Amino acid sequence: MSLTITEGGYNFDQVTGEFDVTAPAVVADARPGAVPTTVFGYVVEALARRRARGVPPFTVMSCDNVQGNGAKARAVFAAFAALRDPELGAWVHNAVAFPNSMVDRITPVTTDADRALVRDRFGVEDRWPVVAEPFFQWVLEDDFPQGRPPLEHAGVQLVADVEPYELMKLRLLNVSHQALAYLGWLSGYRYAHEAVADPLLARFVRDYMDEATPTLRPVPGVDLGEYKATLVERFGNPEVADTLARLCAETSDRIPKWLVPLVRERLRAGGGVTRSAAIVASWARYAEGTDEQGEPIAVVDRLADVLVARARSQRDGDPLAFLRDPALFGDLVDEPRFTGPYLDALGSLHRSGAQATLRTLTGA
């Protein structure tokens, strides 16, 4: 069973990593005899029925942008199952396979123009065609006790350890999208290809990638220098027409999982975090809900109300207000090696705007 429920669908605390057993939908699904409404309820019910009938469990194959997505899926589904029955929870944890995976392909939101193109060019009425770039990479842990399709025939890389590929993708591609998103929007761009065509933004993104690279493990068969150059080319593909609005959405489910762990690793190793801190600062500035021309920004996030309120208060005497959420940032607010460059970037964004800040950050 393949699983794609987005980063926020795993229902775990951003700092502790523990499954949130208090979520109302989870509580409702865990009641005896409940008709499932959540992914946890549906999947665990299916697994429980197999267990009751003596049928081997299916493999749960997560394809989401969550580090260690298979391990995370195992933890949260077993935790939910344990709410129903501790023995069922132990069985899900121990008997069900949850291979880790990394999926890399830029797939923007489907538009009416995409539907019209498929209809007019191919004569097919498709409510949800998937538009994607030519590039794709799917790396999958080869852990399928009951067998699997010959996925390697479709270009899937079956490996023993996904983590090196996963870290490469999350920290170079996904966080680079965040680097483009807020600074790009504040600079007046609305598409990723427009933003990366700006030499200042392209340079900043490459500088961030170089800052992130020491946190990566060797990636078998991949030249990281070539990979980073290819990313900039991919971001610049105008046919994909990837919107910055998509990249700016649901950041509270992204930066805490993708960037904050990288910052911690850099700090532990004594490395600099100037670009990483600037990315967080650009999110904080964007989350104020007003752009540099005074136009409103629609902040799309499950925590939008809290984020906007906290971001706006950073102009009222507490410039670190946005960081004062341990659920998102842990104790980074108390780390001067992070808050120093963060405040430099945020102050520059407030005083001088995104383009001037980029010139300072890139030395242009």
Side-chain angles (χ1 to χ4, degrees), residues 200-231:
L200 289 175
L201 271 163
R203 172 68 181 275
F204 176 73
V205 169
R206 280 305 304 262
D207 288 348
Y208 159 74
M209 290 183 194
D210 292 342
E211 182 174 288
T213 297
T215 70
L216 305 180
R217 292 167 48 188
V219 187
V222 176
D223 180 314
L224 286 178
E226 181 179 338
Y227 181 80
K228 289 186 282 190
T230 300
L231 281 180

Short mmCIF file of all heavy atoms in Angstrom, two decimals, residues 200-231:
data_model
loop_
_atom_site.label_atom_id
_atom_site.label_comp_id
_atom_site.label_asym_id
_atom_site.label_seq_id
_atom_site.Cartn_x
_atom_site.Cartn_y
_atom_site.Cartn_z
N LEU A 200 20.64 37.24 -8.00
CA LEU A 200 20.83 37.30 -6.54
C LEU A 200 20.20 36.10 -5.85
O LEU A 200 20.79 35.48 -4.97
CB LEU A 200 20.22 38.59 -5.99
CG LEU A 200 20.93 39.90 -6.32
CD1 LEU A 200 20.11 41.09 -5.80
CD2 LEU A 200 22.33 39.93 -5.71
N LEU A 201 18.98 35.76 -6.26
CA LEU A 201 18.31 34.60 -5.66
C LEU A 201 19.01 33.30 -6.03
O LEU A 201 19.17 32.40 -5.19
CB LEU A 201 16.85 34.57 -6.09
CG LEU A 201 15.89 35.36 -5.20
CD1 LEU A 201 14.57 35.62 -5.90
CD2 LEU A 201 15.65 34.62 -3.89
N ALA A 202 19.42 33.17 -7.29
CA ALA A 202 20.13 31.96 -7.71
C ALA A 202 21.43 31.80 -6.91
O ALA A 202 21.77 30.69 -6.48
CB ALA A 202 20.43 32.01 -9.20
N ARG A 203 22.16 32.89 -6.71
CA ARG A 203 23.40 32.84 -5.93
C ARG A 203 23.12 32.49 -4.48
O ARG A 203 23.84 31.68 -3.87
CB ARG A 203 24.12 34.19 -6.02
CG ARG A 203 25.33 34.32 -5.10
CD ARG A 203 26.47 33.41 -5.51
NE ARG A 203 27.59 33.56 -4.60
CZ ARG A 203 28.53 34.50 -4.70
NH1 ARG A 203 28.48 35.38 -5.70
NH2 ARG A 203 29.51 34.56 -3.84
N PHE A 204 22.07 33.07 -3.90
CA PHE A 204 21.72 32.76 -2.52
C PHE A 204 21.37 31.29 -2.35
O PHE A 204 21.81 30.63 -1.39
CB PHE A 204 20.55 33.63 -2.05
CG PHE A 204 20.08 33.30 -0.66
CD1 PHE A 204 20.83 33.64 0.45
CD2 PHE A 204 18.88 32.63 -0.47
CE1 PHE A 204 20.42 33.32 1.73
CE2 PHE A 204 18.45 32.30 0.81
CZ PHE A 204 19.21 32.64 1.92
N VAL A 205 20.60 30.76 -3.28
CA VAL A 205 20.22 29.35 -3.21
C VAL A 205 21.45 28.45 -3.29
O VAL A 205 21.60 27.49 -2.52
CB VAL A 205 19.21 29.00 -4.32
CG1 VAL A 205 19.02 27.50 -4.44
CG2 VAL A 205 17.87 29.68 -4.03
N ARG A 206 22.38 28.75 -4.20
CA ARG A 206 23.60 27.95 -4.30
C ARG A 206 24.44 28.08 -3.03
O ARG A 206 25.03 27.10 -2.56
CB ARG A 206 24.42 28.36 -5.52
CG ARG A 206 23.93 27.77 -6.84
CD ARG A 206 23.85 26.25 -6.80
NE ARG A 206 25.10 25.62 -6.43
CZ ARG A 206 25.98 25.11 -7.29
NH1 ARG A 206 25.73 25.20 -8.59
NH2 ARG A 206 27.06 24.53 -6.87
N ASP A 207 24.50 29.29 -2.47
CA ASP A 207 25.25 29.47 -1.23
C ASP A 207 24.62 28.66 -0.10
O ASP A 207 25.33 28.06 0.73
CB ASP A 207 25.30 30.95 -0.84
CG ASP A 207 26.21 31.77 -1.73
OD1 ASP A 207 26.99 31.17 -2.52
OD2 ASP A 207 26.15 33.01 -1.66
N TYR A 208 23.28 28.65 -0.06
CA TYR A 208 22.62 27.81 0.96
C TYR A 208 22.97 26.33 0.75
O TYR A 208 23.28 25.62 1.71
CB TYR A 208 21.09 27.98 0.94
CG TYR A 208 20.47 26.78 1.59
CD1 TYR A 208 20.53 26.63 2.97
CD2 TYR A 208 19.96 25.72 0.84
CE1 TYR A 208 20.07 25.47 3.57
CE2 TYR A 208 19.50 24.57 1.43
CZ TYR A 208 19.56 24.45 2.80
OH TYR A 208 19.15 23.29 3.40
N MET A 209 22.92 25.86 -0.50
CA MET A 209 23.24 24.46 -0.77
C MET A 209 24.64 24.12 -0.27
O MET A 209 24.86 23.03 0.31
CB MET A 209 23.13 24.16 -2.26
CG MET A 209 21.73 24.18 -2.83
SD MET A 209 21.79 23.72 -4.59
CE MET A 209 20.16 24.19 -5.14
N ASP A 210 25.58 25.02 -0.48
CA ASP A 210 26.95 24.77 -0.02
C ASP A 210 27.01 24.75 1.50
O ASP A 210 27.79 23.98 2.08
CB ASP A 210 27.90 25.84 -0.59
CG ASP A 210 28.08 25.72 -2.09
OD1 ASP A 210 27.77 24.65 -2.65
OD2 ASP A 210 28.51 26.71 -2.71
N GLU A 211 26.20 25.58 2.15
CA GLU A 211 26.13 25.56 3.61
C GLU A 211 25.57 24.24 4.12
O GLU A 211 25.99 23.72 5.16
CB GLU A 211 25.27 26.72 4.10
CG GLU A 211 25.15 26.86 5.61
CD GLU A 211 24.39 28.12 6.00
OE1 GLU A 211 24.97 29.22 5.83
OE2 GLU A 211 23.24 28.02 6.46
N ALA A 212 24.62 23.68 3.38
CA ALA A 212 23.96 22.45 3.80
C ALA A 212 24.79 21.20 3.50
O ALA A 212 24.65 20.18 4.19
CB ALA A 212 22.60 22.33 3.11
N THR A 213 25.63 21.25 2.49
CA THR A 213 26.32 20.05 2.01
C THR A 213 27.11 19.31 3.08
O THR A 213 27.10 18.06 3.10
CB THR A 213 27.22 20.41 0.81
OG1 THR A 213 26.39 20.90 -0.26
CG2 THR A 213 27.99 19.20 0.31
N PRO A 214 27.82 20.00 4.01
CA PRO A 214 28.56 19.24 5.02
C PRO A 214 27.69 18.38 5.94
O PRO A 214 28.22 17.50 6.63
CB PRO A 214 29.26 20.35 5.83
CG PRO A 214 29.38 21.49 4.89
CD PRO A 214 28.13 21.43 4.06
N THR A 215 26.37 18.60 5.95
CA THR A 215 25.50 17.77 6.79
C THR A 215 25.07 16.49 6.09
O THR A 215 24.37 15.67 6.69
CB THR A 215 24.23 18.54 7.21
OG1 THR A 215 23.38 18.72 6.08
CG2 THR A 215 24.59 19.89 7.81
N LEU A 216 25.47 16.32 4.82
CA LEU A 216 25.04 15.15 4.05
C LEU A 216 26.05 14.02 4.19
O LEU A 216 27.24 14.24 4.42
CB LEU A 216 24.88 15.53 2.58
CG LEU A 216 23.95 16.70 2.27
CD1 LEU A 216 23.90 16.95 0.77
CD2 LEU A 216 22.55 16.45 2.82
N ARG A 217 25.56 12.81 4.02
CA ARG A 217 26.43 11.63 3.94
C ARG A 217 26.78 11.38 2.48
O ARG A 217 26.09 11.85 1.58
CB ARG A 217 25.70 10.42 4.52
CG ARG A 217 25.47 10.50 6.02
CD ARG A 217 24.48 9.46 6.51
NE ARG A 217 24.80 8.14 6.00
CZ ARG A 217 24.00 7.07 6.15
NH1 ARG A 217 22.85 7.20 6.77
NH2 ARG A 217 24.36 5.90 5.67
N PRO A 218 27.86 10.63 2.22
CA PRO A 218 28.15 10.28 0.82
C PRO A 218 26.95 9.58 0.18
O PRO A 218 26.31 8.72 0.78
CB PRO A 218 29.35 9.32 0.94
CG PRO A 218 30.00 9.69 2.23
CD PRO A 218 28.88 10.09 3.15
N VAL A 219 26.63 9.99 -1.04
CA VAL A 219 25.46 9.45 -1.74
C VAL A 219 25.96 8.58 -2.88
O VAL A 219 26.49 9.09 -3.87
CB VAL A 219 24.57 10.58 -2.28
CG1 VAL A 219 23.27 10.00 -2.84
CG2 VAL A 219 24.26 11.61 -1.19
N PRO A 220 25.81 7.26 -2.78
CA PRO A 220 26.34 6.37 -3.83
C PRO A 220 25.82 6.74 -5.22
O PRO A 220 24.62 6.89 -5.43
CB PRO A 220 25.82 4.99 -3.39
CG PRO A 220 25.66 5.09 -1.91
CD PRO A 220 25.21 6.51 -1.67
N GLY A 221 26.74 6.91 -6.15
CA GLY A 221 26.39 7.15 -7.53
C GLY A 221 25.98 8.57 -7.86
O GLY A 221 25.54 8.84 -8.98
N VAL A 222 26.11 9.51 -6.90
CA VAL A 222 25.68 10.88 -7.14
C VAL A 222 26.84 11.84 -6.93
O VAL A 222 27.52 11.80 -5.91
CB VAL A 222 24.52 11.28 -6.19
CG1 VAL A 222 24.15 12.75 -6.38
CG2 VAL A 222 23.30 10.40 -6.44
N ASP A 223 27.07 12.70 -7.92
CA ASP A 223 28.03 13.80 -7.80
C ASP A 223 27.26 15.00 -7.25
O ASP A 223 26.42 15.58 -7.96
CB ASP A 223 28.64 14.11 -9.17
CG ASP A 223 29.65 15.24 -9.13
OD1 ASP A 223 29.37 16.28 -8.50
OD2 ASP A 223 30.72 15.11 -9.77
N LEU A 224 27.53 15.39 -6.01
CA LEU A 224 26.73 16.43 -5.38
C LEU A 224 26.87 17.78 -6.09
O LEU A 224 25.91 18.55 -6.17
CB LEU A 224 27.10 16.57 -3.90
CG LEU A 224 26.59 15.45 -2.98
CD1 LEU A 224 27.08 15.68 -1.56
CD2 LEU A 224 25.07 15.37 -3.02
N GLY A 225 28.06 18.07 -6.60
CA GLY A 225 28.23 19.32 -7.34
C GLY A 225 27.33 19.37 -8.56
O GLY A 225 26.68 20.38 -8.83
N GLU A 226 27.29 18.26 -9.29
CA GLU A 226 26.43 18.19 -10.47
C GLU A 226 24.96 18.24 -10.06
O GLU A 226 24.14 18.88 -10.72
CB GLU A 226 26.73 16.91 -11.24
CG GLU A 226 25.91 16.74 -12.50
CD GLU A 226 26.26 15.46 -13.25
OE1 GLU A 226 27.38 14.93 -13.04
OE2 GLU A 226 25.42 14.98 -14.02
N TYR A 227 24.61 17.56 -8.97
CA TYR A 227 23.23 17.53 -8.50
C TYR A 227 22.75 18.94 -8.16
O TYR A 227 21.65 19.34 -8.53
CB TYR A 227 23.12 16.62 -7.27
CG TYR A 227 21.72 16.51 -6.71
CD1 TYR A 227 20.78 15.65 -7.28
CD2 TYR A 227 21.34 17.25 -5.59
CE1 TYR A 227 19.50 15.54 -6.76
CE2 TYR A 227 20.05 17.13 -5.06
CZ TYR A 227 19.15 16.27 -5.65
OH TYR A 227 17.88 16.17 -5.14
N LYS A 228 23.60 19.72 -7.48
CA LYS A 228 23.22 21.09 -7.10
C LYS A 228 23.03 21.97 -8.33
O LYS A 228 22.08 22.76 -8.40
CB LYS A 228 24.26 21.67 -6.15
CG LYS A 228 24.22 21.03 -4.77
CD LYS A 228 25.16 21.72 -3.78
CE LYS A 228 26.59 21.32 -3.97
NZ LYS A 228 27.46 21.82 -2.86
N ALA A 229 23.91 21.81 -9.31
CA ALA A 229 23.76 22.59 -10.54
C ALA A 229 22.47 22.20 -11.27
O ALA A 229 21.76 23.07 -11.81
CB ALA A 229 24.97 22.38 -11.44
N THR A 230 22.16 20.91 -11.26
CA THR A 230 20.94 20.44 -11.93
C THR A 230 19.70 20.99 -11.24
O THR A 230 18.70 21.31 -11.91
CB THR A 230 20.91 18.90 -11.93
OG1 THR A 230 22.05 18.40 -12.63
CG2 THR A 230 19.64 18.37 -12.59
N LEU A 231 19.75 21.13 -9.91
CA LEU A 231 18.60 21.67 -9.19
C LEU A 231 18.26 23.07 -9.66
O LEU A 231 17.08 23.40 -9.87
CB LEU A 231 18.88 21.69 -7.68
CG LEU A 231 18.74 20.37 -6.94
CD1 LEU A 231 19.06 20.57 -5.46
CD2 LEU A 231 17.35 19.79 -7.09
#
